[in-house]
Amino acid sequence: MKKQTRLINEVTAMIVNQDFHWDTHYDVVVVGFGGAGATAAHFAADAGAKVLLVDSAPAGEEGGNTRYSAQMISVSDDFDAEKTYFSHLTAPMHLDDDMIATFAQGMVDLPGYLRDYLGVTKPFSLKANWENPIFAPVKKSLVENTIEYPELPGSDHHDVLAVHPGLFDAALWKLLRAEVVKRAANIDVWFDAPATHLLQTPAGTIVGIQIKRDGKFVNVAATNGVVLALGGFENNVTKIQDFLGAASLIPVGTLYNTGKGVDLAIEAGASLWHMQNFESLGLLHGMALKVSGQKRGYLFTAPWPTLSTGAIITAGDDGSRYFKEDESNRHGHLYNHGIWRVPQNQVHPHLVFDQTQYDLFKKQESLPVPPILPLAVKADSLDELADKIDAKPEVLAQTVADFNFFADQGRDYAHNREVSTLRKFDDGPYYAVALEQTILNTQGGPRHNKNAEVLDTNLNVIPHLYAAGELGGISAGQYQAGENLAECLIFGKIAGENAATEKATSADQVGDGQQPAASQVAFKSDLTTDASQFSVGPNQYIGTSSAGIGNEVVVRVTLDDNHAIKNVEILQQSESADVGSLAVKELPKRMVEQNTYEVDAVAGASSSSRAIKDAVRDA
């Protein structure tokens, strides 16, 4: 007699069956085409597996947070020192010693890993090149020679590497993606293909996964394992409220991390860990200027003294100050009674400043994108300003009065801001600019062991289920720059190799025996990159570049009879839809007007600008 089954539909909490109907078969299915997923697919394929790599993002928008990150990778030259450093970063939280040891050894091995597996023969050490101007944007956050917590033991052996002298340019991500492309014969990729359910036997073994593809539900058998590498829940307001205790946070990375990996882990019976932990970055303690309709916050990391010097404060929801404005944050963490924590999120914080401060902003030659002054609201009195920003008038008035007193006394008795940064407020008018707290990534997700095997609530292994990357990230407390990418590389490799090993119980043993034809058109891989598909006419030329933050940029340049640039068309690009789109829109027009590809980059979109210029140069 067959064991009881549940119907397969969008609202089931779990699909448990003994005789699944399989629509297609793979040895390994990797869910999430970011840094961890690309790595897992790479090493599973090298271990002999036929791999399916799926992502909920459409083609060109894959990459997860790895694509948007600074491309910094944590490493160490001493195992014992790194183990000590990471243990102190984790404290007072507890983390399994085997996990810490695996991570520490992985960081020691990473320089060789980059050479052997990604072709990076000379990784670029931020510590050795700390005075290079290219690192100015991150110096305020990385306290000393790339080390965020230099006061902790073991930190002196830590370093942060990049694959070349550059930041925020997707360089590492493009290497990881290229390794998947090289293995296209063994790795199929489906874009715009969200995972809906894990498929599990009554005994608890994961034997496949259900994917929504082209509007249909597809049961994919995973003979040896499923790797969850979906990232976190930065774009899921409900989970942010439930697990982080914040009303809302604005992501500065991918828009496709919606917490589905947490749901899949829960339905498989996984234990969860680190659900309260997340990282931030940006202005002040990790904030962005609030812009109506903006889905992704603009990440600004360079020092901006005008935000914390003069008659300017950051007001919380009721109009009171809640942190030391001139303190450097460590990935959104501020010093809090002996440990560094992300401050309690405010629902609608504001910068509040006077006319003199407004004039200082106005005089600055360059301001972040978007410009700050058009976002400011103006009021003749503090009561009127409080009304406009939904603060309590009496609280805002007292906050400004206290600040003026501190300036007179030469001591900030509330938060100990540097006395040289204090200046009394003018009598009016007053201004306010709305802010919102950013979120780089969450760390919470399924608990796993040193083999990347997901554990259930009794801490037993869930057979054939693995996790890597920011979904169930290893960081439990204070965060050192580059850890997340190091984790993607280290545990992505472990997960991919272990998922590829042949298992005693496979999907074939619990399926209906149907083997779909491998040539089914509906299930062909989406991973295609061929610029030759674009046509050219007289005086037209195709150019390509991979220098942007997205995948390949393809342009078509048309010259007139005098060889002047008549038109520049961008035929293919996957730059970020917010800031990068400005370069996509503006640069072709500038090139035609100035008859050269050597035009000024669009502010805030340097990588996208470089890619477009390189592609036109290539044409």
Side-chain angles (χ1 to χ4, degrees):
M1 181 176 179
K2 292 182 180 179
K3 296 185 179 181
Q4 185 177 4
T5 66
R6 299 184 185 182
L7 294 176
I8 299 176
N9 58 52
E10 287 193 271
V11 297
T12 50
M14 168 60 70
I15 300 177
V16 179
N17 204 337
Q18 188 63 37
D19 294 317
F20 291 107
H21 169 75
W22 299 121
D23 296 299
T24 187
H25 285 65
Y26 286 87
D27 296 320
V28 172
V29 179
V30 178
V31 189
F33 193 177
T39 301
H42 165 176
F43 286 98
D46 283 1
K50 178 63 176 178
V51 181
L52 175 63
L53 175 57
V54 301
D55 200 281
S56 61
E61 297 185 38
E62 72 275 14
N65 283 334
T66 300
R67 170 177 170 177
Y68 291 95
S69 72
Q71 311 299 296
M72 297 161 60
I73 310 163
S74 272
V75 300
S76 178
D77 63 7
D78 186 280
F79 169 77
D80 290 327
E82 187 58 39
K83 191 177 176 187
T84 298
Y85 182 42
F86 190 75
S87 296
H88 279 81
L89 288 170
T90 302
M93 306 299 179
H94 171 74
L95 190 64
D96 178 76
D97 191 65
D98 285 344
M99 286 292 289
I100 294 177
T102 300
F103 194 37
Q105 187 61 56
M107 282 189 270
V108 171
D109 294 339
L110 271 175
Y113 179 118
L114 294 173
R115 178 193 64 239
D116 296 340
Y117 301 125
L118 297 178
V120 182
T121 55
K122 293 183 179 180
F124 194 77
S125 164
L126 272 69
K127 180 184 286 187
N129 295 276
W130 191 234
E131 297 309 316
N132 191 312
I134 198 169
F135 301 125
V138 295
K139 275 194 172 183
K140 194 169 189 288
S141 296
L142 300 180
V143 178
E144 181 180 315
N145 288 340
T146 76
I147 309 306
E148 273 184 273
Y149 294 88
E151 69 276 13
L152 297 182
S155 63
D156 53 326
H157 286 271
H158 196 89
D159 194 3
V160 175
L161 300 182
V163 298
H164 76 151
L167 296 174
F168 294 105
D169 57 5
L172 172 64
W173 158 243
K174 284 181 281 191
L175 288 178
L176 297 176
R177 186 181 186 279
E179 294 301 318
V180 172
V181 174
K182 288 178 187 176
R183 293 162 175 80
N186 295 312
I187 302 175
D188 287 347
V189 177
W190 294 356
F191 294 117
D192 201 10
T196 55
H197 295 287
L198 289 167
L199 307 181
Q200 191 170 25
T201 70
T205 301
I206 301 299
V207 290
I209 190 163
Q210 186 184 78
I211 306 294
K212 191 172 184 180
R213 179 157 168 79
D214 297 329
K216 299 178 181 178
F217 294 101
V218 179
N219 283 359
V220 182
T223 303
N224 294 324
V226 173
V227 179
L228 300 180
L230 292 81
F233 52 89
E234 305 91 74
N235 299 279
N236 188 311
V237 173
T238 299
K239 283 184 170 59
I240 285 173
Q241 294 183 358
D242 289 346
F243 296 120
L244 305 183
S248 65
L249 301 168
I250 188 164
V252 291
T254 180
L255 299 179
Y256 294 94
N257 284 358
T258 61
K260 184 61 180 178
V262 175
D263 297 337
L264 294 173
I266 290 172
E267 72 175 22
S271 171
L272 302 181
W273 67 355
H274 307 160
M275 295 304 295
Q276 86 298 335
N277 199 30
F278 76 99
E279 315 309 333
S280 180
L281 199 64
L283 306 172
L284 299 162
H285 70 69
M287 308 175 89
L289 303 177
K290 186 176 180 65
V291 179
S292 178
Q294 184 170 292
K295 295 181 179 179
R296 182 187 288 116
Y298 180 75
L299 178 60
F300 189 78
T301 58
W304 193 8
T306 317
L307 294 183
S308 57
T309 300
I312 184 168
I313 59 173
T314 302
D317 296 340
D318 63 354
S320 60
R321 294 169 67 206
Y322 65 102
F323 69 98
K324 184 175 181 283
E325 292 97 345
D326 64 339
E327 182 177 344
S328 295
N329 76 82
R330 300 181 179 185
H331 274 85
H333 299 234
L334 295 178
Y335 185 78
N336 186 330
H337 300 281
I339 197 167
W340 292 72
R341 295 184 174 92
V342 176
Q344 181 61 43
N345 172 248
Q346 301 291 299
V347 179
H348 52 87
H350 285 79
L351 281 171
V352 174
F353 49 96
D354 65 2
Q355 183 66 50
T356 300
Q357 202 77 11
Y358 180 95
D359 293 339
L360 286 173
F361 281 125
K362 197 171 183 178
K363 289 177 182 177
Q364 288 187 338
E365 293 183 3
S366 61
L367 290 170
V369 177
I372 188 171
L373 295 183
L375 301 174
V377 296
K378 180 180 179 181
D380 292 328
S381 69
L382 288 173
D383 282 358
E384 181 187 355
L385 188 68
D387 182 65
K388 289 186 174 182
I389 66 173
D390 194 25
K392 294 181 178 180
E394 68 276 12
V395 173
L396 182 61
Q398 187 62 56
T399 299
V400 172
D402 289 346
F403 186 87
N404 288 343
F405 174 76
F406 300 156
D408 281 337
Q409 295 296 310
R411 171 75 185 276
D412 177 5
Y413 291 98
H415 297 287
N416 278 318
R417 197 166 108 182
E418 174 61 42
V419 63
S420 63
T421 71
L422 306 179
R423 177 179 59 78
K424 292 178 65 174
F425 275 74
D426 302 335
D427 292 333
Y430 303 99
Y431 298 87
V433 172
L435 303 170
E436 52 193 335
Q437 186 166 329
T438 67
I439 181 168
L440 287 176
N441 66 283
T442 58
Q443 304 285 9
R447 186 188 305 269
H448 52 275
N449 61 20
K450 66 178 183 178
N451 300 318
E453 297 168 306
V454 174
L455 306 179
D456 66 17
T457 53
N458 293 315
L459 304 187
N460 296 317
V461 169
I462 298 176
H464 303 193
L465 186 61
Y466 305 84
E470 291 172 358
L471 177 63
I474 195 171
S475 291
Q478 299 165 121
Y479 175 79
Q480 161 66 47
E483 278 180 9
N484 282 331
L485 286 185
E487 182 172 14
C488 287
L489 299 178
I490 294 165
F491 282 97
K493 180 176 185 290
I494 292 171
E497 290 176 337
N498 287 335
T501 59
E502 189 172 343
K503 308 298 193 298
T505 301
S506 74
D508 294 331
Q509 294 173 290
V510 296
D512 57 9
Q514 299 299 313
Q515 294 288 335
S519 61
Q520 286 188 85
V521 176
F523 301 126
K524 68 179 182 180
S525 179
D526 296 335
L527 195 62
T528 56
T529 54
D530 183 10
S532 66
Q533 64 184 297
F534 301 107
S535 62
V536 293
N539 295 334
Q540 289 185 328
Y541 305 88
I542 298 292
T544 63
S545 172
S546 297
I549 197 171
N551 301 333
E552 192 172 54
V553 173
V554 181
V555 303
R556 180 165 55 208
V557 178
T558 304
L559 304 181
D560 63 19
D561 291 338
N562 296 316
H563 302 289
I565 298 176
K566 182 179 180 181
N567 193 21
V568 174
E569 303 167 84
I570 299 180
L571 305 177
Q572 175 181 293
Q573 59 86 22
S574 54
E575 301 303 293
S576 58
D578 34 39
V579 177
S581 64
L582 299 176
V584 172
K585 180 180 179 181
E586 290 297 324
L587 257 61
K589 293 189 295 185
R590 295 182 188 179
M591 292 173 177
V592 173
E593 291 169 356
Q594 300 175 35
N595 190 33
T596 179
Y597 53 76
E598 291 293 356
V599 296
D600 291 336
V602 172
S606 57
S607 293
S608 299
S609 298
R610 180 174 59 250
I612 296 168
K613 290 163 67 174
D614 284 354
V616 175
R617 180 188 294 111
D618 181 54

